[in-house]
């Protein structure tokens, strides 16, 4: 089928890549290029499971469909629209998740030996980016709520003190929001950093929706941060793994950013993922305000109902009287279950196994449920009913579990890159005290390192790992999956 340009020009203007991909998939083209399934002609099971439309849109770069490594037409137009939607100067499609966007963000700004200020509750992708770049992390602790057992966000004063102490910091890395929805005073932090000539890089994986409703916290781009990595798939509606890198270009070498993207990202970037970003952006611009208002109303309804359940409370900004929390993303229901005598891990499992309810995560004291643009009232009512049932079944437990959760201040002996390339050995966990760790260990989700390469193993860290193991936390990234041993640097 030949594309009718006049017919699709309006659609093209609204979603260039999404609509062009659809038109291209309907053209009568004989394919002698990749992918090898040739529109599923060679793999019928994929056609049966995914459908003919999806398979025909799984294409590789072609003269008509532009190339993400050097976008000039359709992809360029779509990325420009994405930048405009987010109030950025530039936007780039990233198809290997916000992990890839974070790697690109750091590699394009942080050179070997450059110091970067980082909160301890960062995602593991930041540590891995420093292994790649050779950057030198200076860790700061976010504020912490002991009664709730969660890390919050960093305070303006904490950033100020660190910049005063380390005059040669090149960049500050922020979370907007944290996994639990806590946002710092990002506008004032950006102003402070820029007054000192320091870049601001932001992990906005869970804030892709912020720019589209005024009742949500401010986005990194609107706060004038230099770069932000956003998971369009997490809260914006795109397909899983579809993310974006947003840039305010005043202090950033955009050409180096594109070069870094070409170094890190596949030359066969998925058109399905890129087109889903284009479609999600169009939806957010068109329907985002109303959809997010509905999500916020559902979240407030859920909070009201859940707070009436014995032993359970939804965390709110009013409960977090702390300098590290300027605002809260209300679409994230952080539900404290400590009063049930159960851990969040146990409630997570009960919801899934007994009630067919899947929440985002469980930790020692909490579960996290995300209310998104696709959530319905029926979904929320099922969650409320399940939590009420769990409460009634467990309130006979007289002993309420108390686990002392502490913030662990890492002692950095080696830069992550140096530690990564050192010779290593495995030793018994209990015998690793005062050794330099050679691997990352973390609970996933959220993927925040308990210890990372180059840090000293302490008794406190070992005890925390044992606590997580005893409570069936899902620990990952270590060589010994049973965690009886740990990888350390050879003396």
């Amino acid at each position: 089928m030949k594309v009718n340009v006049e017919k699709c020009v309006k659609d093209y203007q609204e979603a260039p890549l999404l609509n062009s991909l659809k038109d291209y998939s309907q053209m009568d083209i004989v394919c002698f290029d990749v992918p090898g399934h040739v529109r599923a002609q060679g793999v019928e099971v994929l056609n049966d499971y995914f459908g003919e439309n999806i398979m025909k849109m799984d294409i590789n770069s072609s003269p008509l469909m532009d190339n993400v490594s050097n976008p000039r037409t359709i992809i360029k137009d779509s990325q420009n629209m994405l930048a405009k939607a987010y109030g950025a100067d530039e936007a780039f499609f990233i198809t290997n998740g916000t992990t890839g966007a974070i790697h690109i963000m750091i590699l394009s700004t942080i050179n070997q030996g450059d110091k970067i200020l980082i909160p301890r509750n960062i995602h593991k992708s930041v540590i891995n980016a420093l292994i790649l770049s050779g950057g030198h992390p200076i860790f700061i602790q976010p504020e912490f709520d002991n009664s709730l057992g969660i890390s919050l966000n960093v305070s303006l004063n904490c950033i100020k003190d660190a910049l005063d102490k380390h005059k040669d910091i090149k960049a500050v890395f922020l979370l907007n929001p944290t996994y639990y929805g806590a946002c710092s005073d990002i506008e004032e932090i950006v102003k402070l950093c820029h007054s000192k000539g320091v870049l601001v890089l932001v992990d906005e994986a869970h804030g892709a929706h912020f720019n589209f409703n005024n009742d949500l916290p401010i986005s990194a781009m609107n706060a004038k941060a230099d770069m932000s990595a956003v998971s369009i798939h997490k809260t914006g509606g795109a397909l899983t793994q579809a993310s974006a890198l947003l840039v305010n270009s005043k202090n950033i070498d955009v050409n180096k950013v594109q070069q870094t993207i070409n170094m890190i990202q596949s030359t066969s970037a998925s058109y399905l993922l890129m087109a889903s970003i284009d479609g999600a952006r169009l939806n957010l611009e068109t329907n985002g305000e109303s959809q997010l208002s509905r999500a916020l109303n559902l979240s407030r309804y859920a909070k009201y109902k859940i707070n009436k359940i014995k032993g359970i409370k939804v965390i709110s900004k009013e409960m977090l009287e702390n300098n590290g929390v300027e605002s809260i993303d209300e679409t994230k229901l952080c539900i404290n279950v400590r009063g049930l005598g159960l851990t969040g891990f146990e409630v997570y499992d009960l919801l899934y196994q007994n009630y067919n309810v899947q929440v985002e995560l469980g930790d020692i004291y909490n579960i996290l449920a995300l209310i998104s643009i696709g959530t319905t009232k029926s979904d929320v009512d099922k969650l409320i009913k399940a939590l009420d049932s769990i409460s009634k079944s467990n309130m006979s437990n007289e002993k309420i579990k108390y686990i002392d959760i502490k913030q662990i201040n890492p002692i950095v002996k080696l830069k992550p890159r140096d530690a990564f390339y050192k010779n290593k050995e495995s030793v018994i966990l209990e015998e690793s005290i005062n050794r330099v760790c050679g691997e990352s260990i973390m609970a996933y989700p959220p993927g925040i390192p308990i210890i990372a390469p180059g840090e000293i193993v302490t008794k406190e860290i070992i005890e925390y790992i044992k606590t997580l193991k005893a409570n069936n936390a899902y620990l990952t990234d270590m060589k010994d999956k049973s965690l009886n041993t740990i990888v350390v640097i050879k003396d």
Side-chain angles (χ1 to χ4, degrees):
M1 183 187 84
K2 187 176 179 179
V3 177
N4 185 330
V5 176
E6 292 182 0
K7 180 176 180 296
C8 70
V9 67
K10 183 176 184 295
D11 287 340
Y12 176 92
Q13 290 171 346
E14 292 177 344
L17 184 56
L18 181 64
N19 287 288
S20 295
L21 182 60
K22 178 183 177 183
D23 290 338
Y24 185 79
S25 71
Q26 294 173 350
M27 294 174 68
D28 185 14
I29 297 176
V30 178
C31 297
F32 291 96
D33 62 348
V34 295
H37 60 69
V38 190
R39 301 187 174 192
Q41 291 174 181
V43 191
E44 290 185 7
V45 65
L46 294 182
N47 212 44
D48 291 342
Y49 275 75
F50 295 154
E52 184 179 354
N53 289 339
I54 289 290
M55 297 309 299
K56 285 186 174 181
M57 286 189 280
D58 181 37
I59 67 166
N60 196 32
S61 299
S62 75
L64 287 176
M65 292 303 298
D66 206 1
N67 189 306
V68 73
S69 299
N70 184 25
R72 296 179 178 181
T73 55
I74 298 166
I75 293 176
K76 182 180 179 181
D77 290 344
S78 297
Q79 290 186 155
N80 287 342
M81 289 183 174
L82 185 66
K84 183 178 180 182
Y86 277 94
D89 294 330
E90 303 282 347
F92 300 91
F93 292 155
I94 306 298
T95 57
N96 52 332
T98 295
T99 289
I102 287 172
H103 289 176
I104 294 159
M105 187 161 57
I106 290 177
L107 282 168
S108 61
T109 55
I110 301 299
N111 300 322
Q112 175 80 17
D114 285 344
K115 290 183 180 179
I116 178 170
L117 194 63
I118 301 175
R120 184 55 189 176
N121 57 335
I122 42 85
H123 187 263
K124 67 177 183 177
S125 57
V126 179
I127 299 297
N128 292 335
L130 294 178
I131 291 173
L132 293 171
S133 73
H136 184 180
I138 303 296
F139 286 111
I140 53 174
Q141 283 292 359
E143 301 296 327
F144 191 81
D145 191 297
N146 289 292
S147 64
L148 299 174
I150 59 171
S151 292
L152 303 174
N153 219 316
V154 292
S155 68
L156 176 63
N157 287 336
C158 181
I159 297 286
K160 185 178 185 302
D161 291 344
L163 293 180
D164 288 342
K165 183 178 180 180
H166 300 275
K167 304 290 187 182
D168 53 349
I169 293 285
K170 186 174 182 182
V172 170
F173 192 93
L174 300 175
L175 302 175
N176 191 56
T178 66
Y179 212 126
Y180 296 95
C183 297
S184 61
D185 191 352
I186 187 172
E187 286 185 280
E188 291 302 315
I189 292 173
V190 170
K191 288 177 184 177
L192 171 67
C193 292
H194 285 172
S195 73
K196 296 177 178 291
V198 175
L199 297 173
V200 179
L201 314 178
V202 183
D203 176 352
E204 207 164 37
H206 289 268
H209 56 308
F210 280 3
N211 209 51
F212 301 95
N213 190 288
N214 290 332
D215 283 346
L216 293 167
I218 189 171
S219 70
M221 289 293 97
N222 282 339
K224 306 304 179 186
D226 296 290
M227 303 177 78
S228 70
V230 293
S231 293
I232 311 293
H233 69 96
K234 280 186 169 70
T235 59
L239 296 180
T240 296
Q241 206 171 303
S243 294
L245 183 59
L246 306 174
V247 180
N248 280 325
S249 59
K250 181 180 179 181
N251 303 313
I252 299 296
D253 183 346
V254 176
N255 289 329
K256 187 173 182 181
V257 173
Q258 182 68 67
Q259 289 175 341
T260 309
I261 290 171
N262 292 348
M263 180 175 69
I264 294 293
Q265 184 157 258
S266 171
T267 54
S268 300
S270 168
Y271 274 79
L272 287 171
L273 296 185
M274 291 189 292
S276 79
I277 298 173
D278 201 26
R281 183 269 312 156
L282 174 61
N283 178 70
L284 286 170
E285 286 190 303
T286 307
N287 306 308
E289 183 177 1
S290 60
Q291 288 181 333
L292 289 165
S293 290
R294 185 176 70 246
L296 285 164
N297 287 334
L298 282 174
S299 180
R300 291 160 185 161
Y301 163 75
K303 175 184 172 183
Y304 174 77
K305 289 287 189 179
I306 292 170
N307 280 341
K308 290 182 175 294
I309 299 173
K310 193 172 182 180
I312 299 177
K313 58 184 175 182
V314 179
I315 297 172
S316 63
K317 186 177 185 299
E318 294 72 29
M319 297 167 61
L320 305 173
E321 295 180 358
N322 200 294
N323 289 331
V325 183
E326 178 69 16
S327 57
I328 287 282
D329 176 7
E330 292 184 77
T331 68
K332 292 172 177 58
L333 287 177
C334 185
I335 304 168
N336 188 275
V337 297
R338 180 175 166 184
L340 294 178
L342 299 172
T343 66
F345 301 120
E346 291 170 322
V347 174
Y348 176 99
D349 289 339
L350 285 171
L351 285 169
Y352 181 72
Q353 294 169 3
N354 297 349
Y355 301 94
N356 293 329
V357 172
Q358 176 71 65
V359 293
E360 176 69 10
L361 68 78
D363 62 25
I364 297 293
Y365 287 148
N366 310 284
I367 59 170
L368 181 66
L370 307 183
I371 309 296
S372 73
I373 58 176
T375 306
T376 66
K377 185 175 182 297
S378 174
D379 296 334
V380 172
D381 285 335
K382 287 178 182 176
L383 172 64
I384 296 167
K385 185 177 180 181
L387 289 173
D388 185 53
S389 176
I390 291 172
S391 172
K392 289 174 179 175
S393 300
N394 287 276
M395 285 311 297
S396 59
N397 295 347
E398 295 182 4
K399 184 179 179 181
I400 296 177
K401 297 181 181 181
Y402 178 76
I403 300 167
D404 187 19
I405 302 173
K406 299 177 181 178
Q407 279 191 317
I408 297 173
N409 293 300
I411 304 169
V412 180
K413 184 72 173 180
L414 296 171
K415 295 196 294 290
R417 182 182 179 87
D418 293 341
F420 182 80
Y421 286 107
K422 290 282 187 181
N423 291 327
K424 304 176 184 69
E425 62 181 345
S426 294
V427 300
I428 300 298
L429 183 63
E430 290 78 6
E431 298 176 1
S432 66
I433 295 176
N434 295 326
R435 298 290 297 272
V436 180
C437 190
E439 63 181 352
S440 289
I441 301 173
M442 65 202 69
Y444 194 89
I448 297 169
I450 301 163
I451 190 166
E455 297 174 4
I456 300 292
V457 182
T458 64
K459 182 179 179 180
E460 186 179 37
I461 289 170
I462 291 173
E463 291 305 314
Y464 187 49
I465 289 171
K466 288 182 176 180
T467 296
L468 290 173
K469 282 181 61 179
N471 285 280
N472 297 317
Y474 183 75
L475 298 171
T476 185
D477 276 36
M478 60 281 181
K479 179 181 178 182
D480 179 3
K481 304 308 178 188
S482 65
L483 258 176
N484 295 318
T485 62
I486 186 173
V487 173
V488 296
I489 307 300
K490 279 189 175 181
D491 293 332

